[in-house]
Amino acid sequence: MSVRTTAVSRNPLNRGRTVVGRARVRLSEFSESSPSRFAILIFAGLILLFTALFSLPIASADGKATGLADSLFTAVSVICVTGLATVDMATHWSVFGHVLIYVGVQIGALGVLTLASILGLAVSRKLGLRARLIAASDTNPLRMHHGPVAEGQAVRLGEIGSLLATVAISAFVIEVVLAALLFPRMLLDGIDVGTAVWHSFYYSAMAFTNTGFAPNADGLAPFADDYFFLTILMIGVFLGSIGFPVIYALSRSLGAWKARRKAKGRTIANRVRWSVHVKLTLVTSALLIVAGAALYIVLEFDNPKTFGTLGASDTVFQSFFLSVMTRSGGFSTIDIPDLNGSSLLVTDMLMFIGGGSASTAGGIKVTTLAVLFLAAFAEARGVQDMESFGRRIPSDVLRLGVSVVLWGATTVAVSSIIILQISKAPLDHVLFDVISAFATSGLTTGLTASLPDAGVYVMAATMFMGRVGTVTLAAALAASQRQQLYKRPEERPIVG
Amino acid sequence: MSVRTTAVSRNPLNRGRTVVGRARVRLSEFSESSPSRFAILIFAGLILLFTALFSLPIASADGKATGLADSLFTAVSVICVTGLATVDMATHWSVFGHVLIYVGVQIGALGVLTLASILGLAVSRKLGLRARLIAASDTNPLRMHHGPVAEGQAVRLGEIGSLLATVAISAFVIEVVLAALLFPRMLLDGIDVGTAVWHSFYYSAMAFTNTGFAPNADGLAPFADDYFFLTILMIGVFLGSIGFPVIYALSRSLGAWKARRKAKGRTIANRVRWSVHVKLTLVTSALLIVAGAALYIVLEFDNPKTFGTLGASDTVFQSFFLSVMTRSGGFSTIDIPDLNGSSLLVTDMLMFIGGGSASTAGGIKVTTLAVLFLAAFAEARGVQDMESFGRRIPSDVLRLGVSVVLWGATTVAVSSIIILQISKAPLDHVLFDVISAFATSGLTTGLTASLPDAGVYVMAATMFMGRVGTVTLAAALAASQRQQLYKRPEERPIVG
Ligand SMILES: [K+]
Ligand SMILES: [K+]
């Protein structure tokens, strides 16, 4: 105890001797000692608060209190930016309810971006914000001092505030730009100014936060042929889904490029080097978008219920739209149950993979998938190290990735078995909605809305585990490094 | 080339100067230089031969030639000991056809046991047969000389013959004992002596080779309440599915135990130490059998089509039987489509995992699953090394395991998407039959028998990739170790 007290008294936050000052110190201590548990508590607290708010009569359009199952599910879906619903989101809620939804997804998205960035930094190096996050080194002798982990351990509350501000400003700028692009289009479509402002900000938020709710009762249907509108949504969803570290790198590159243009080649010093994380995320995302779109084209071009009636270019555009949206956006111009079973399975896989780390997207994350394949490639080439873009990736990253995938597969399996047993619904619909919940995709076959309360609670738990679990798991695991005092004799079991 | 020639002339097989002698040398060279490709060619050759034989008019009961799709599928299913069928196996084939099936599964099972043991030894240490397989060290300077790989590389044809003999004798002894136990039971059931001999050997072979075909038209139905008969089948399937290295260790332990009993405690020297592979396989298999049975009890006890009409002890027995059979046996006392969707998904997962390495079972293998979880446990405990039973498991074993799982997941995903698109059948049936094919389980929802020819070829390819792919993949990867001349700078992407 005396060691801890000494550590606290060195903490610059420990200056105030008021009650608030002491509370801040306590909070700071907790967030330092266990950032993952801190994140879980923040999310759980937000969900409880929003459950209470959504259950108020003032939140619903008909002025009646919403039941626990529906208000809890909506709160989880909003805070986890999942986008699934057990009620008709556009018509069930009052104006106050819609403001709750709007504010909730912003809080949820900023919370995820901030926490995931902080926790992610605990296991990553050379990201843009690293310098800001390097702080006093960890003095716990049981923890190994190989740089990155110790860094993450030492993230202080004040730095969380600073990172939160950076994240919030980025999100604000992106959402305002997206809304400004959507607004004139809505006016041209004959929507009145007030509604157009509200709807353009709403759609912009729902795109960047990767939530996928629509403010209007008929959803995306009026815009299904409006490729400008859909393209803006795609850009918003893509930016939200690649993750804050990548957005940060891209914006720094943009700044450096502008500075170089201004300097007219007099200097080439300020070129920004992209980290392996940034390159892996962008390349894997691009490959998945193209592969997904290609598969949708092949599997759906002759399906009369989906793209069968469209021309070639429309089929290609809608396939790309679907491919971008499945991995977490959750917007859809078609009815999901109309897809062929083959396309549903492709969508299951894309949703499970999800978006970038420290993003508003869910799933196991594209870099996790990439690391698994890099391991297999290294194995096939017979080389000892995983390599990517001229860098060696340490083997403990693979172990983290395997842990995340096992967590995801186990969550989806357990949830699917329970929902199958509760609903006796067909596997294609159950697997789809469970993976959509786990990966916070928000696309649905319609099953979620028809589940009994028991199923609704299971789905809510699945969304929570998918969102908070994957974000905190890797960090919690990475933070628990201990020095081993001895090596046991080596032995190889046969695998495969 | 001169180095290779020198190596060959040192080979004791190179004594004869006849055509046969030179052919043996060539074969020996090929099996040495690329054991995985050698295995693939052997399996492909056997399948072509049996396809030709099954297509002969003499092989079918009605004396007409069997079409290519059905004869190829049957050949693959027999040689890969999968147990799926596109024709009624009991009634479609003549006596000659049934002899082909009987001989085919024996060849397929012995081939898999032998090849997998040899290839498995390439990446494993301290198995019983190691001493026999240690041979001249590999002189290729590009390959790393950390023991086990070099050992496997140097397996010679003569040693393959010796291993094959050991495997064949073990299989013969086990199958004769099983048949001897089944035979009196069949006599008691009123079956005539000739048929009883044939059926007891047939069932014994189908159990130990994990194939799951039945010789009689009504299959297991007459024996569904005969717990003695079913228990013998379970024992046969279990012995076949744990893998030859484990059987070898068990038989050595049995021998040592007998020797100790005879010596009456005068010496305790000849106790057999079990390898981590043996312990991991037995513990994981036991856990999976119990977990599977428990899930079937919970999910099916009130299903009127399956166990709903049974008493408690019958439900427990049938659940254990189903749990043992799913992971590769392929025998079933119930109609698979009668299971709840939840149980079908549980079965999918058990089939995908499969049995032990170097066994007649399929799937990704129990040790592969165990290694993934050991990695996650190590990560959660924050220790650097994967540990199991007091031994450290090197991290390249995890990479091999990840490669095997990716291979399995990709094969199942691609095959499922194609079969879904061809058949437009529901996902639960498609996923079930595809995983059953990949993991050579042989249980079926009935979909396989109703597929058009295109689907039959896809399923045949899935069986081949599941059987030969997983057995050769790990070995092929492990055999390609190359020394790296330099280390690249390290960098960590964020995962999860
Ligand atoms: K979403
Ligand atoms: K089988």
Side-chain angles (χ1 to χ4, degrees):
Chain A
M1 271 312 285
S2 64
V3 174
R4 174 159 287 277
T5 314
T6 320
V8 168
S9 63
R10 280 205 210 106
N11 188 324
L13 288 172
N14 198 20
R15 280 172 201 147
R17 299 205 160 265
T18 62
V19 175
V20 175
R22 278 200 296 274
R24 281 192 65 186
V25 171
R26 293 269 160 72
L27 201 57
S28 175
E29 271 181 63
F30 183 61
S31 73
E32 275 171 51
S33 67
S34 179
S36 302
R37 242 174 291 171
F38 182 66
I40 292 170
L41 279 184
I42 284 183
F43 269 92
L46 283 170
I47 286 167
L48 288 182
L49 174 66
F50 273 79
T51 303
L53 291 171
F54 277 122
S55 68
L56 295 176
I58 189 183
S60 73
D62 60 4
K64 289 181 193 151
T66 305
L68 177 64
D70 288 337
S71 48
L72 174 70
F73 189 92
T74 306
V76 176
S77 184
V78 163
I79 295 296
C80 297
V81 297
T82 309
L84 283 173
T86 54
V87 297
D88 187 324
M89 292 301 281
T91 58
H92 178 84
W93 305 108
S94 65
V95 173
F96 175 71
H98 276 289
V99 171
L100 279 183
I101 295 169
Y102 183 81
V103 173
V105 299
Q106 302 282 11
I107 293 176
L110 292 189
V112 158
L113 286 179
T114 311
L115 289 167
S117 294
I118 292 167
L119 298 174
L121 284 165
V123 286
S124 72
R125 266 183 179 164
K126 306 212 177 168
L127 292 171
L129 281 167
R130 184 193 173 205
R132 185 173 304 181
L133 291 161
I134 293 179
S137 72
D138 194 318
T139 50
N140 183 341
L142 273 176
R143 292 192 186 121
M144 286 193 344
H145 282 277
H146 61 49
V149 172
E151 278 169 36
Q153 292 290 321
V155 174
R156 300 250 188 278
L157 260 198
E159 289 159 337
I160 295 179
S162 156
L163 179 62
L164 186 59
T166 313
V167 169
I169 291 167
S170 312
F172 179 76
V173 169
I174 291 172
E175 288 189 22
V176 167
V177 169
L178 290 174
L181 289 165
L182 292 175
F183 175 68
R185 191 70 192 192
M186 291 210 175
L187 285 185
L188 286 176
D189 283 356
I191 297 169
D192 67 280
V193 179
T195 310
V197 169
W198 169 233
H199 282 192
S200 50
F201 270 97
Y202 198 95
Y203 266 116
S204 153
M206 291 301 157
F208 180 69
T209 64
N210 273 225
T211 313
F213 287 133
N216 48 328
D218 37 7
L220 270 193
F223 310 105
D225 303 320
D226 186 340
Y227 288 178
F228 175 80
F229 191 92
L230 296 183
T231 304
I232 300 298
L233 287 189
M234 280 165 78
I235 293 171
V237 165
F238 181 76
L239 286 176
S241 74
I242 52 171
F244 187 70
V246 179
I247 292 179
Y248 192 78
L250 290 179
S251 69
R252 280 177 62 215
S253 288
L254 190 69
W257 177 76
K258 278 186 187 157
R260 277 202 306 282
R261 264 203 5 169
K262 209 179 258 175
K264 289 192 176 156
R266 268 171 291 161
T267 168
I268 53 155
N270 54 359
R271 197 175 282 275
V272 176
R273 196 191 75 81
W274 284 359
S275 69
V276 163
H277 178 76
V278 171
K279 291 175 189 165
L280 259 191
T281 302
L282 289 173
V283 168
T284 314
S285 296
L287 284 176
L288 286 172
I289 288 171
V290 172
L295 280 169
Y296 287 129
I297 293 170
V298 170
L299 298 173
E300 294 293 324
F301 80 95
D302 63 350
N303 181 351
K305 290 185 192 166
T306 57
F307 306 155
T309 56
L310 302 180
S313 60
D314 287 345
T315 300
V316 170
F317 181 88
Q318 294 291 355
S319 297
F320 268 92
F321 186 80
L322 188 56
S323 180
V324 169
M325 290 305 156
T326 48
R327 281 189 309 107
S328 174
F331 287 113
S332 176
T333 55
I334 53 165
D335 271 342
I336 295 297
D338 288 343
L339 286 169
N340 281 324
S342 49
S343 305
L344 286 178
L345 188 58
V346 168
T347 311
D348 289 343
M349 298 191 294
L350 290 173
M351 291 194 295
F352 187 74
I353 296 165
S357 296
S359 78
T360 56
I364 57 165
K365 307 297 182 304
V366 292
T367 40
T368 308
L369 182 79
V371 165
L372 295 186
F373 273 97
L374 288 176
F377 293 156
E379 201 60 47
R381 290 178 54 224
V383 295
Q384 233 187 327
D385 296 322
M386 288 188 282
E387 286 175 8
S388 177
F389 299 107
R391 290 289 183 278
R392 176 165 49 91
I393 296 174
S395 63
D396 57 306
V397 174
L398 174 63
R399 247 172 45 172
L400 262 176
V402 167
S403 306
V404 170
V405 173
L406 277 183
W407 167 261
T410 307
T411 306
V412 168
V414 171
S415 181
S416 295
I417 291 169
I418 298 174
I419 296 286
L420 277 167
Q421 192 72 350
I422 289 175
S423 69
K424 303 279 193 265
L427 179 66
D428 50 357
H429 287 197
V430 171
L431 199 61
F432 192 98
D433 275 40
V434 165
I435 293 181
S436 177
F438 166 78
T440 74
S441 164
L443 295 172
T444 179
T445 59
L447 174 74
T448 301
S450 71
L451 284 175
D453 279 4
V456 170
Y457 291 121
V458 172
M459 290 296 272
T462 308
M463 294 194 285
F464 186 78
M465 296 214 269
R467 170 89 291 179
V468 185
T470 43
V471 166
T472 54
L473 184 74
L477 295 182
S480 67
Q481 298 274 11
R482 275 185 296 167
Q483 195 89 48
Q484 268 172 309
L485 301 175
Y486 55 90
K487 286 241 175 216
R488 293 185 188 278
E490 186 178 290
E491 199 176 317
R492 274 159 211 272
I494 312 176
V495 296
Chain B
M1 272 312 285
S2 65
V3 174
R4 174 158 287 277
T5 313
T6 319
V8 168
S9 62
R10 278 205 213 109
N11 189 326
L13 289 172
N14 198 21
R15 280 174 202 147
R17 299 206 161 266
T18 61
V19 174
V20 175
R22 278 200 297 274
R24 282 192 66 185
V25 171
R26 291 269 160 73
L27 200 58
S28 175
E29 270 181 64
F30 182 62
S31 73
E32 275 171 51
S33 66
S34 180
S36 303
R37 241 174 293 172
F38 182 66
I40 292 169
L41 279 185
I42 283 182
F43 270 91
L46 283 170
I47 286 167
L48 289 182
L49 174 67
F50 274 79
T51 303
L53 291 170
F54 278 121
S55 69
L56 295 175
I58 188 184
S60 71
D62 60 4
K64 290 179 194 153
T66 305
L68 177 63
D70 289 336
S71 49
L72 174 70
F73 189 91
T74 306
V76 176
S77 185
V78 163
I79 296 296
C80 297
V81 296
T82 309
L84 284 172
T86 55
V87 298
D88 187 323
M89 293 299 282
T91 59
H92 179 85
W93 305 107
S94 65
V95 173
F96 175 71
H98 276 288
V99 171
L100 279 183
I101 295 169
Y102 183 81
V103 172
V105 298
Q106 302 281 11
I107 293 176
L110 292 188
V112 157
L113 286 179
T114 310
L115 289 166
S117 295
I118 291 165
L119 298 173
L121 284 165
V123 285
S124 72
R125 267 183 180 166
K126 307 214 176 169
L127 291 171
L129 280 166
R130 186 192 172 207
R132 185 173 305 183
L133 291 162
I134 293 179
S137 71
D138 195 318
T139 49
N140 183 339
L142 273 177
R143 294 195 184 118
M144 288 191 344
H145 281 277
H146 61 49
V149 173
E151 277 169 36
Q153 293 289 321
V155 174
R156 300 249 188 279
L157 257 199
E159 289 159 335
I160 295 180
S162 157
L163 179 62
L164 187 59
T166 313
V167 168
I169 291 166
S170 312
F172 180 77
V173 169
I174 291 172
E175 288 188 20
V176 167
V177 170
L178 289 174
L181 289 165
L182 293 175
F183 175 67
R185 191 72 192 191
M186 292 208 173
L187 285 186
L188 285 178
D189 284 356
I191 298 168
D192 68 279
V193 178
T195 309
V197 168
W198 168 235
H199 282 192
S200 51
F201 271 97
Y202 198 96
Y203 267 115
S204 153
M206 291 301 157
F208 180 70
T209 63
N210 273 224
T211 313
F213 287 133
N216 47 326
D218 37 6
L220 270 194
F223 310 105
D225 303 318
D226 186 340
Y227 289 178
F228 175 82
F229 191 92
L230 297 183
T231 304
I232 300 297
L233 287 189
M234 280 166 77
I235 293 171
V237 165
F238 180 78
L239 286 176
S241 74
I242 53 172
F244 187 69
V246 179
I247 292 179
Y248 192 79
L250 290 179
S251 69
R252 279 178 63 218
S253 288
L254 191 70
W257 178 76
K258 279 186 187 158
R260 276 201 308 281
R261 260 198 16 162
K262 207 179 260 173
K264 289 194 174 152
R266 268 171 291 160
T267 169
I268 51 157
N270 54 358
R271 197 174 284 275
V272 175
R273 196 190 75 81
W274 283 358
S275 69
V276 163
H277 177 77
V278 171
K279 291 177 188 164
L280 260 190
T281 302
L282 288 174
V283 168
T284 315
S285 296
L287 284 177
L288 286 172
I289 288 172
V290 172
L295 282 169
Y296 288 130
I297 293 170
V298 170
L299 298 172
E300 294 293 324
F301 79 95
D302 62 350
N303 181 350
K305 290 184 192 164
T306 56
F307 305 156
T309 55
L310 302 181
S313 60
D314 287 344
T315 300
V316 169
F317 181 88
Q318 295 291 354
S319 297
F320 268 91
F321 185 80
L322 188 55
S323 180
V324 169
M325 289 306 156
T326 47
R327 281 188 309 108
S328 174
F331 287 113
S332 176
T333 54
I334 52 164
D335 270 344
I336 295 297
D338 289 343
L339 287 169
N340 281 322
S342 49
S343 305
L344 286 178
L345 189 59
V346 168
T347 311
D348 289 343
M349 297 190 295
L350 289 174
M351 291 193 296
F352 187 74
I353 296 165
S357 296
S359 77
T360 55
I364 58 166
K365 306 298 180 307
V366 292
T367 40
T368 308
L369 182 80
V371 165
L372 295 186
F373 273 97
L374 287 176
F377 293 156
E379 201 60 49
R381 290 178 54 223
V383 295
Q384 233 185 328
D385 296 322
M386 289 188 281
E387 287 176 7
S388 176
F389 298 106
R391 289 289 183 278
R392 177 165 48 92
I393 296 173
S395 63
D396 58 306
V397 174
L398 174 62
R399 246 172 46 172
L400 261 176
V402 167
S403 308
V404 170
V405 173
L406 277 182
W407 166 261
T410 308
T411 306
V412 169
V414 171
S415 180
S416 296
I417 291 168
I418 299 174
I419 296 286
L420 278 167
Q421 192 73 351
I422 289 175
S423 68
K424 304 278 194 260
L427 178 65
D428 50 357
H429 287 196
V430 171
L431 199 61
F432 192 98
D433 275 40
V434 165
I435 293 182
S436 177
F438 165 77
T440 72
S441 164
L443 295 173
T444 178
T445 60
L447 175 73
T448 300
S450 71
L451 285 175
D453 278 5
V456 169
Y457 291 121
V458 172
M459 291 295 274
T462 308
M463 294 193 287
F464 186 77
M465 296 213 270
R467 170 89 291 178
V468 185
T470 42
V471 167
T472 55
L473 184 75
L477 296 181
S480 67
Q481 297 274 12
R482 275 186 296 168
Q483 195 90 49
Q484 267 172 310
L485 300 174
Y486 54 92
K487 286 244 172 212
R488 294 186 187 277
E490 184 179 293
E491 200 176 316
R492 269 160 214 275
I494 312 177
V495 296

